[in-house]
Amino acid sequence: MVKQSITKPVRFGLVLSAGGVRGIYAHSGFLKALEDLHLDVSAISGCSAGAIVGGIYASGTPLKKWLGSLKSMDKDDFWQPGSWGKSVWQLIRFGGRTFTGIATTDAPLNFCRKNIAVDTFEACPIPFHSIATSLATGKKAMFSSGDLALGIAASATIPILYQPIEIAGEFYCDGGVIDLGPTEALCCKHKLDVMFVHHVATHNKGFHGLAKDKGDSWPILEIIDTLMFRSRPWYLTEQPISFQRCPCGCKVLIVVLEPKLPDLPWPKTEKGAEVLEAALQQTTQMLTPLLTTLLQNPASLLEKQMSNGIKESRDE
């Protein structure tokens, strides 16, 4: 078979999934691995945790500076519920009529503004798209223009825990309610050759009641996770790495990475460095043997996987 002749650099896009606080550390480790491997990024889309990391990186913030900020991040940077007594009093006093969430989005919004290098999507050196859920329609909403910090925060506003965020008179919450990894945000829009999907959202473990909960996660979050992660993205295979074609029929090669990461219950940050290092090491191990092929003839990776699949099925 004649190898594909590539006269221009391979263009890589990133899809960064939802994943809570753990996802923030994991995606940061993934980006560190890509930089170490000298794989330049041409476009990014992100959901929730992926929107935070992807938006900050796309804005032009140097990764070294972001990793430094991450080392000092604690839950106060994104979770400031104020007085629990006041929240309970308001629920009782107004019969729930004024309750839309425990905490405002002031803390995560300020955190985003502090770490981004530009103020708008349009000013990002790397084209960036975030996904949120419109509370007016219940449908997916994509942001690729306007206030960058608002677009990021809208994607990461977990229902019940945070009050919805308002943009141009409409209200939005976490994009993970609808889509954990927005591949269509990049497909056919940026002349990509390869689209990496870094999927770090937890698998739906289900909620089995308080008596059976032996972990240190919040029961309300287990309920939210069950609702948000009930659907399985089309690209998942439960393999550390897999190669697929975009379902729209375009020629973009989709490389899906599903790393195995340490647990990090929301809103804890103490073991974030372990998650970051695990994502960094696994990405490096998976991509290093493929580096030459990714840079010269990425389409052959899918052809090889399909050939192996046929051979394995015949062997069976």
Side-chain angles (χ1 to χ4, degrees):
M1 187 178 73
V2 179
K3 288 188 177 182
Q4 177 184 358
S5 177
I6 298 179
T7 58
K8 59 183 179 60
V10 173
R11 290 175 60 82
F12 296 97
L14 308 183
V15 177
L16 306 179
S17 76
V21 179
R22 186 179 77 152
I24 292 176
Y25 289 100
H27 291 318
S28 300
F30 173 65
L31 288 175
K32 179 66 166 62
L34 294 186
E35 283 209 351
D36 290 347
L37 294 171
H38 304 290
L39 295 176
D40 296 330
V41 178
S42 298
I44 303 175
S45 71
C47 175
S48 198
I52 294 172
V53 177
I56 290 171
Y57 187 73
S59 77
T61 299
L63 184 59
K64 183 176 181 180
K65 180 178 180 181
W66 163 241
L67 294 178
S69 297
L70 204 54
K71 286 182 180 179
S72 60
M73 184 182 78
D74 61 33
K75 66 182 181 63
D76 289 338
D77 286 315
F78 55 87
W79 176 242
Q80 295 182 12
S83 169
W84 290 89
K86 183 179 179 181
S87 298
V88 173
W89 179 84
Q90 287 180 330
L91 277 170
I92 297 173
R93 171 68 177 82
F94 298 104
R97 292 188 299 275
T98 63
F99 181 80
T100 57
I102 295 172
T104 70
T105 54
D106 291 346
L109 189 56
N110 290 336
F111 180 76
C112 289
R113 293 201 188 283
K114 182 174 68 174
N115 284 285
I116 56 178
V118 296
D119 294 329
T120 65
F121 282 84
E122 293 89 340
C124 289
I126 301 174
F128 173 66
H129 308 262
S130 68
I131 176 178
T133 301
S134 168
L135 293 178
T137 65
K139 297 180 179 180
K140 185 187 305 183
M142 290 286 189
F143 293 102
S144 57
S145 62
D147 189 307
L148 179 59
L150 280 177
I152 294 173
S155 182
T157 303
I158 303 172
I160 300 176
L161 296 183
Y162 291 102
Q163 297 167 14
I165 198 159
E166 183 178 2
I167 299 176
E170 294 192 20
F171 292 89
Y172 299 90
C173 71
D174 200 304
V177 173
I178 293 180
D179 190 348
L180 299 176
T183 56
E184 78 280 11
L186 301 186
C187 174
C188 304
K189 295 178 176 64
H190 298 283
K191 298 181 179 179
L192 300 175
D193 300 292
V194 178
M195 183 160 35
F196 288 115
V197 178
H198 193 235
H199 188 91
V200 298
T202 57
H203 291 287
N204 180 13
K205 300 177 182 178
F207 178 72
H208 304 289
L210 299 178
K212 296 181 180 180
D213 181 20
K214 298 180 181 180
D216 55 358
S217 62
W218 294 4
I220 186 63
L221 279 177
E222 292 182 3
I223 295 173
I224 292 173
D225 282 354
T226 298
L227 296 175
M228 290 179 64
F229 302 151
R230 67 190 183 279
S231 61
R232 177 184 174 84
W234 63 268
Y235 52 76
L236 293 184
T237 64
E238 295 187 2
Q239 298 298 316
I241 186 168
S242 60
F243 310 97
Q244 304 180 44
R245 282 284 183 220
C246 186
C248 82
C250 71
K251 296 182 179 181
V252 174
L253 171 67
I254 297 181
V255 181
V256 184
L257 294 93
E258 303 177 51
K260 293 184 178 180
L261 304 170
D263 288 333
L264 185 62
W266 194 93
K268 295 187 176 181
T269 61
E270 289 82 358
K271 295 184 179 181
E274 296 179 17
V275 175
L276 189 152
E277 185 63 25
L280 167 61
Q281 293 298 329
Q282 289 178 52
T283 301
T284 302
Q285 291 170 4
M286 287 187 280
L287 295 186
T288 297
L290 308 174
L291 194 56
T292 300
T293 307
L294 282 170
L295 292 171
Q296 295 181 359
N297 187 18
S300 66
L301 291 171
L302 182 60
E303 294 168 3
K304 182 178 180 181
Q305 177 174 273
M306 292 177 65
S307 298
N308 288 341
I310 294 172
K311 182 178 185 299
E312 289 170 3
S313 63
R314 287 175 178 171
D315 291 343
E316 292 174 359

